[in-house]
Amino acid sequence: MKTITWPILALMALCTVIGLDDIMYNFQNQGMPVITSWIIMCLLYVTPYSLMVGQLGSTFDKEGGGLSSWVRGTDGEFLGYFTAWTYWAASIPYAVDSANEIIVDLGWAVTGTKDFQYKIPTSLFAILTFVVFIIFIIVEHHFSNSMEFLSTIGGGLMIIMVILFVILAFFGLVKSGGHMATKNFGFHSIVPDFNLHYWSTVGMLIYAMNGCELVAPYVTKMKKPKTDFPKAMIALAVMTAFLTILGSFALGIYFDANHIPNDLKMNGAYYLFDMLGEQFGMGHFLLYFWAWTSLFFNCALVAVLLDAMTRMLISDTGDKYMPKFLRKKDKNGLPVNGYILTVALSSFIMILGIFLPDMNDIFNWLLNLNSIISPGVTCWIFYSFMRVRKNSKKYPSKYVYIKNDKVAWLVGIALLIVTAVATILGFAPQDIKQGTGLWWYELIINIVTVVVLIGLGAILPGIRRREVEYGVAFDKAQWIWMGILIIGSIILDIWLGSTKIPLRIAMIVIQAVIALILTWLVGRRKPANATK
């Protein structure tokens, strides 16, 4: 068997963990104090998190080392299924966000400016995002190696551009005689103000730095996992620290951390490479090069999320909990109805965003949503690690993180608590003034989205049981009435959230409960076309 060396594994993990956009997003949230946040996260979060992943991957190496297999191995089939579902559900907002970025990338790649963003209404932005999904389903259906091709080009270029950005920024600082856009930079500039806003942005830091569980299956392919895997994860932490700390400082060279542009998350990388190009006499070359790099990278992300994540969900959960109609495959082995479900839920999220004022608000809201769902899923990793260390004799491993089981368990629960709290606080909308109508609207659609994505995963096993009992889950009339009730309830929730009616929160909760009860009453009766 061909072995993987620790430097290669470290680089593979780096691709899944950090990128320039991650640095940009958190810089807008926290400014220069994000440097301190990155240091704390690299030392106290990324390193133990990565090493826990290594032990879990080694413990369950015969099951493929996936997150759902870890939970299934410690807590049985249903919790394993639900983990697979939440992991997949977390990819939906990520896929929508990546599809949105493709539209932004195309606009910059073609025009070289952000002017097109003011000409596209939010409804057209949503429609174009939907078209992106359809195009990728067609492409993956007809070109089997499209995902690998896009990943190779996009991933390789992205790493090059991030490293190039850090190097050029520091050369630029020397070239300008030490001039920085952030005035009076000093130690005081990087000290965070640990208020509610700060803690509500921790979820975005976790979202930026998680993902190394994707390399867990390769732990057992290392020649000396006991010594080589820790080396790889420490190297990962060092490289992550290098890119995030120096990258954030480099952003402070070109952007005033005290007056950050409101659209930095969406357009910041383009502003940055345009300034670098001008400073080094390359005109707009770097801007266009970044636009095409980002385009290929996000195309690869959408391809992976649509195909790999859907396949994982359908194949990993089997026929016990997943309805038969979702497991249907075409002649090429593609889970067609699984794709349809993915696109339907993505469309649902896009519809929620249509009522936001502009493209920038939609972009920022989707990032906020990712910083809720992604850390929430990461909680499963720490939970599974705690279960393994609670009974370490039952779960032997070639690689063990912290020999003492009690200490390891305490480290696991500490990271679980931090991640869970960050997830809850992440529901608070970012980038807008607290207490405004827009703030309340985003808070409501954050809650609605999470409830729908997670709640559907709890409902599907019940639908599967109906298929087993009656031959079909529901008849046509039931599907229609349940669809009307659910969609109508969502539209009413959105409308109420955008108004200033007193007690609107209570009204939203009441009508949502009524809609759910009516939906349950419609769905509980025996289908008219039952075959059993």
Side-chain angles (χ1 to χ4, degrees):
M1 181 183 71
K2 186 178 180 180
T3 59
I4 294 179
T5 61
W6 67 264
I8 295 298
L9 189 69
L11 287 171
M12 288 170 62
L14 184 67
C15 291
T16 68
V17 170
I18 203 72
L20 178 56
D21 286 339
D22 295 318
I23 301 170
M24 194 76 67
Y25 301 155
N26 286 285
F27 184 81
Q28 179 165 335
N29 279 347
Q30 297 186 10
M32 295 303 279
V34 78
I35 293 174
T36 301
S37 298
W38 288 125
I39 295 171
I40 294 171
M41 290 294 291
C42 287
L43 291 175
L44 302 181
Y45 196 90
V46 175
T47 303
Y49 164 48
S50 305
L51 296 174
M52 287 178 192
V53 163
Q55 179 168 347
L56 289 168
S58 179
T59 302
F60 300 103
D61 60 310
K62 293 180 181 179
E63 299 181 48
L67 178 58
S68 59
S69 70
W70 303 342
V71 178
R72 185 184 295 109
T74 57
D75 287 87
E77 285 295 326
F78 178 75
L79 213 55
Y81 150 76
F82 200 68
T83 303
W85 174 268
T86 53
Y87 198 73
W88 174 80
S91 72
I92 300 296
Y94 194 17
V96 178
D97 184 34
S98 300
N100 279 346
E101 286 201 53
I102 289 174
I103 307 300
V104 175
D105 294 334
L106 274 172
W108 278 97
V110 173
T111 68
T113 72
K114 66 173 182 178
D115 293 345
F116 71 97
Q117 295 170 12
Y118 302 108
K119 299 174 182 177
I120 299 179
T122 54
S123 56
L124 180 58
F125 190 36
I127 292 170
L128 290 174
T129 304
F130 178 77
V131 170
V132 168
F133 281 115
I134 301 302
I135 290 172
F136 271 88
I137 288 175
I138 295 171
V139 168
E140 289 185 0
H141 181 73
H142 292 285
F143 302 98
S144 59
N145 64 340
S146 58
M147 185 167 60
E148 292 82 354
F149 173 75
L150 290 169
S151 298
T152 301
I153 296 178
L157 287 175
M158 179 59 72
I159 292 176
I160 292 170
M161 291 301 284
V162 173
I163 295 173
L164 181 65
F165 146 64
V166 173
I167 293 172
L168 286 180
F170 280 88
F171 272 113
L173 182 64
V174 174
K175 186 177 180 181
S176 66
H179 173 75
M180 290 180 63
T182 301
K183 307 298 181 184
N184 303 316
F185 177 77
F187 178 76
H188 67 281
S189 305
I190 64 171
V191 178
D193 184 5
F194 295 104
N195 53 22
L196 181 60
H197 171 74
Y198 175 86
W199 292 114
S200 69
T201 62
V202 171
M204 183 65 77
L205 289 167
I206 295 173
Y207 165 60
M209 305 186 92
N210 64 8
C212 69
E213 65 272 10
L214 296 175
V215 302
Y218 302 102
V219 176
T220 55
K221 294 183 180 180
M222 303 185 81
K223 193 172 183 179
K224 299 177 181 178
K226 278 189 177 181
T227 56
D228 287 353
F229 187 78
K231 288 180 184 177
M233 292 303 101
I234 291 170
L236 169 65
V238 170
M239 290 188 291
T240 301
F242 169 80
L243 291 174
T244 54
I245 295 168
L246 296 185
S248 297
F249 177 79
L251 287 177
I253 297 173
Y254 292 94
F255 299 103
D256 185 352
N258 302 308
H259 302 283
I260 299 173
N262 187 48
D263 63 342
L264 189 76
K265 290 178 181 178
M266 185 165 70
N267 296 315
Y270 295 99
Y271 298 154
L272 176 68
F273 281 108
D274 200 28
M275 287 186 281
L276 284 169
E278 291 291 336
Q279 186 177 19
F280 287 91
M282 289 184 277
H284 300 299
F285 171 75
L286 287 179
L287 183 150
Y288 283 106
F289 195 83
W290 167 257
W292 288 104
T293 295
S294 185
L295 178 64
F296 275 107
F297 182 77
N298 285 303
C299 284
L301 269 179
V302 173
V304 169
L305 292 169
L306 273 178
D307 185 70
M309 297 303 294
T310 302
R311 286 175 184 265
M312 182 204 76
L313 175 69
I314 302 303
S315 61
D316 194 42
T317 54
D319 62 358
K320 188 174 181 181
Y321 301 110
M322 186 62 60
K324 187 177 180 180
F325 68 88
L326 285 178
R327 290 182 284 113
K328 180 182 178 182
K329 296 181 180 179
D330 65 8
K331 61 181 180 180
N332 297 317
L334 297 174
V336 180
N337 289 335
Y339 281 163
I340 292 173
L341 176 64
T342 302
V343 173
L345 288 174
S346 300
S347 300
F348 158 72
I349 292 174
M350 287 186 286
I351 289 170
L352 294 179
I354 282 177
F355 297 91
L356 294 171
D358 54 42
M359 281 178 62
N360 188 53
D361 288 302
I362 294 175
F363 194 92
N364 290 343
W365 168 64
L366 282 169
L367 284 174
N368 185 196
L369 191 59
N370 278 306
S371 70
I372 301 168
I373 297 177
S374 185
V377 174
T378 303
C379 289
W380 286 115
I381 294 173
F382 307 126
Y383 170 79
S384 187
F385 178 78
M386 290 164 58
R387 296 286 289 170
V388 165
R389 299 312 296 265
K390 194 75 173 177
N391 194 354
S392 58
K393 291 182 180 178
K394 184 180 177 182
Y395 304 105
S397 172
K398 292 180 181 178
Y399 166 72
V400 177
Y401 168 60
I402 303 179
K403 291 183 179 180
N404 187 291
D405 286 334
K406 290 183 179 179
V407 174
W409 189 89
L410 288 173
V411 173
I413 196 171
L415 291 186
L416 176 63
I417 292 171
V418 168
T419 308
V421 171
T423 300
I424 295 168
L425 293 177
F427 276 92
Q430 308 297 321
D431 310 304
I432 49 179
K433 188 177 179 181
Q434 185 175 343
T436 61
L438 182 59
W439 188 89
W440 280 106
Y441 175 75
E442 285 198 13
L443 177 63
I444 290 165
I445 59 178
N446 281 345
I447 296 170
V448 168
T449 303
V450 173
V451 168
V452 169
L453 289 176
I454 304 304
L456 186 58
I459 292 170
L460 287 180
I463 296 176
R464 177 57 185 153
R465 285 194 296 271
R466 288 177 62 86
E467 285 183 341
V468 173
E469 184 178 357
Y470 300 125
V472 292
F474 307 104
D475 59 41
K476 187 176 181 180
Q478 285 176 303
W479 281 116
I480 292 172
W481 278 109
M482 288 190 297
I484 290 172
L485 286 167
I486 293 169
I487 295 171
S489 175
I490 291 169
I491 292 172
L492 184 56
D493 276 344
I494 293 169
W495 178 78
L496 285 170
S498 64
T499 67
K500 296 182 179 180
I501 299 174
L503 300 176
R504 63 185 181 276
I505 302 298
M507 293 172 66
I508 288 170
V509 172
I510 292 170
Q511 79 83 23
V513 170
I514 292 172
L516 287 173
I517 292 172
L518 291 174
T519 302
W520 175 74
L521 290 172
V522 171
R524 69 187 294 269
R525 69 175 178 82
K526 184 177 180 179
N529 58 340
T531 59
K532 294 182 181 180

